[in-house]
Amino acid sequence: MTLDLSGRLSGSVTAPPSKSMAHRLLICASLADAPSNFICGEFPDDVGITTDCLRGLGASIKYSDNEFRIWPVGQVQKGVTLECGESGSTLRFLLPVAAVLGADASFTGQGKLFQRPLSPLHDAMTAHGIQMTAPGNMPLVCHGRLNGGEYRIDAGISSQFVSGLLFALPLADTDSTIILEGGLKSSPYVNMTINTLLHSRIEVDCIGNEYHVKGRQTYSAFRRCAVEGDWSAAAFWLTAGAIGQEPVRCDGLDPDKTLQGDSAVSGILQEMGAEIRNGQHCVTAYPSRLHGIDIDCSDIPDLVPALSVAAACADGRTTFHNVGRLRFKESDRISSIQSMLRAFGISSEAGDNELTVSGGHPVACTADSAHDHRIAMAAAILASVCDGVTHLQDAGCVGKSYPGFFNDYRLLGGHIM
């Protein structure tokens, strides 16, 4: 789907539900001792994929009137095939969960899912009672039942390996210890996992680089919690306000209470010179003159596409450090950002673990999303400050994380043809 985009953005919009939080609540509810429910507005494709996989394992999940109702897995469905689409979260979270349930499941996917790194999790699971086909193969077939014990895992590639084990190991027959080797990237996401587990009355003790998990625990059901707004998505609107001509307010955010690491976008934009004001459950970005800075992206890789747009409109150069993992997303996201910026007339340089963007004056163009939802949204925001019409190719991929993105774009005054 190619869209023609133009027009200045201003006004207010509500952030969509946090994809990360919705994944976690669905998994915990599906493993609980009684039915659960939670409030969640329009959810992205990835959350729907996790929902279908949990149904495949034996949970009953219904969604209506912005509410999920979950009846947990009773009789585990064995020998099922779980289609993970392009969702790395679904695959990496549910591999250990299916294994600890003894589901003997096969995992399939689409796009570049099985080209994304999986070896650390694969090696940890095969060392603890699981027989599994080699990473990179599809389907990925998993047999056996996951045992407790000592897990040593390299979390320097993805925090999702740790979160997947944290969901599964409370159900193992014995206690477990997860020992991190090679550091931990995107640590706020593990904190979100632990917080959701605590909400389900699962005990996890963190001591240094170790997580201690008691076996034979019982997940507790929960009632009527609500999924907070997604800061990863809100980052695009806050960037739009900072680089545009009118303020943009994003509702559904609580800067004082969130555990989402991507809430760092407010502080980063402020460091670049943006005027950002926090209100009651909202954040507003005002038109500002931005300047380049250095940004450590170890814990915030998903912010790089949005912040690259801010960098494109800033004075001087902005360097994003520790971005090597972006090469293993839905696209080689470093190359995709560079190609997108180049189309708008913005220059950049990339190394193995760095990306530097030189600020300039973006011009309307034909931009390709590279079938990457965050690249598509970044290009749309950059189009809003250009004179003329920008043609965005493969714009429909935004459904992976934010299906209502272009409806909100139009709500803010953007023109879509």
Side-chain angles (χ1 to χ4, degrees):
M1 176 175 72
T2 298
L3 295 180
D4 293 339
L5 307 174
S6 63
R8 305 295 187 247
L9 303 183
S10 66
S12 63
V13 68
T14 299
S18 166
K19 179 165 72 92
S20 299
M21 187 175 179
H23 280 302
R24 288 161 171 79
L25 288 172
L26 282 166
I27 292 170
C28 289
S30 296
L31 299 175
D33 55 357
S36 300
N37 62 308
F38 63 89
I39 306 300
C40 181
E42 183 182 25
F43 56 87
D45 294 348
D46 279 8
V47 171
I49 287 167
T50 292
T51 300
D52 288 342
C53 287
L54 290 168
R55 287 179 178 136
L57 289 172
S60 177
I61 303 174
K62 296 182 179 180
Y63 180 81
S64 63
D65 298 326
N66 291 332
E67 184 174 357
F68 275 105
R69 297 176 179 87
I70 305 100
W71 290 262
V73 174
Q75 182 69 36
V76 177
Q77 300 298 308
K78 297 181 72 71
V80 295
T81 296
L82 303 179
E83 168 56 58
C84 298
E86 294 184 90
S87 176
S89 297
T90 304
L91 177 63
R92 290 164 173 171
F93 290 169
L94 293 187
L95 258 176
V97 169
V100 81
L101 295 174
D104 290 343
S106 298
F107 292 80
T108 60
Q110 299 175 16
K112 296 186 176 181
L113 180 65
F114 280 85
Q115 296 176 31
R116 298 173 69 172
L118 193 65
S119 293
L121 182 59
H122 177 279
D123 294 347
M125 291 175 60
T126 54
H128 290 82
I130 297 300
Q131 298 83 50
M132 198 185 312
T133 50
N137 292 318
M138 189 176 71
L140 184 63
V141 183
C142 178
H143 290 291
R145 188 180 182 92
L146 192 68
N147 301 321
E150 182 179 283
Y151 285 75
R152 293 182 175 272
I153 190 162
D154 182 355
I157 297 174
S158 175
S159 66
Q160 293 172 348
F161 304 149
V162 179
S163 288
L165 291 172
L166 287 172
F167 287 127
L169 292 177
L171 301 178
D173 288 339
T174 58
D175 297 350
S176 300
T177 299
I178 302 172
I179 301 173
L180 304 183
E181 298 180 334
L184 174 62
K185 301 295 185 181
S186 302
S187 59
Y189 287 102
V190 174
N191 295 336
M192 286 182 66
T193 299
I194 292 173
N195 185 68
T196 311
L197 290 169
L198 291 175
H199 191 63
S200 301
R201 301 192 179 183
I202 294 294
E203 297 180 23
V204 177
D205 294 324
C206 179
I207 303 173
N209 68 332
E210 298 182 2
Y211 297 93
H212 299 272
V213 185
K214 293 181 180 179
R216 295 182 178 273
Q217 295 191 62
T218 299
Y219 278 80
S220 295
F222 48 82
R223 297 283 185 273
R224 297 291 291 180
C225 63
V227 178
E228 65 178 301
D230 193 317
W231 282 87
S232 303
F236 293 99
W237 305 129
L238 297 179
T239 297
I243 67 174
Q245 297 179 359
E246 298 287 341
V248 174
R249 189 184 78 216
C250 198
D251 298 328
L253 304 176
D254 194 338
D256 295 327
K257 294 182 180 179
T258 186
L259 291 177
Q260 294 180 56
D262 287 345
S263 63
V265 66
S266 290
I268 293 171
L269 287 173
Q270 286 177 313
E271 189 179 350
M272 295 180 75
E275 181 182 355
I276 305 289
R277 297 181 190 174
N278 295 338
Q280 187 171 8
H281 304 298
C282 67
V283 180
T284 304
Y286 293 83
S288 306
R289 183 168 181 173
L290 304 182
H291 57 81
I293 61 172
D294 288 330
I295 305 172
D296 182 355
C297 301
S298 298
D299 289 334
I300 52 167
D302 287 343
L303 287 184
V304 176
L307 290 174
S308 73
V309 171
C313 299
D315 295 331
R317 292 157 59 90
T318 298
T319 298
F320 301 90
H321 301 275
N322 298 312
V323 296
R325 290 179 297 148
L326 291 178
R327 295 200 182 276
F328 305 103
K329 295 291 187 176
E330 287 79 356
S331 67
D332 177 341
R333 200 168 274 172
I334 294 176
S335 294
S336 298
I337 289 172
Q338 288 192 280
S339 296
M340 181 268 294
L341 293 177
R342 189 181 308 116
F344 282 96
I346 301 298
S347 63
S348 62
E349 302 170 6
D352 291 340
N353 208 22
E354 290 184 346
L355 171 66
T356 298
V357 178
S358 297
H361 301 284
V363 295
C365 64
T366 296
D368 185 356
S369 73
H371 196 64
D372 188 320
H373 54 126
R374 299 199 192 279
I375 303 301
M377 290 186 280
I381 300 303
L382 203 48
S384 72
V385 297
C386 295
D387 294 328
V389 176
T390 291
H391 311 286
L392 177 58
Q393 298 172 339
D394 198 6
C397 63
V398 298
K400 187 177 193 300
S401 64
Y402 194 168
F405 176 81
F406 286 109
N407 290 333
D408 289 343
Y409 192 86
R410 187 178 280 114
L411 180 65
L412 290 173
H415 301 150
I416 303 176
M417 296 167 281

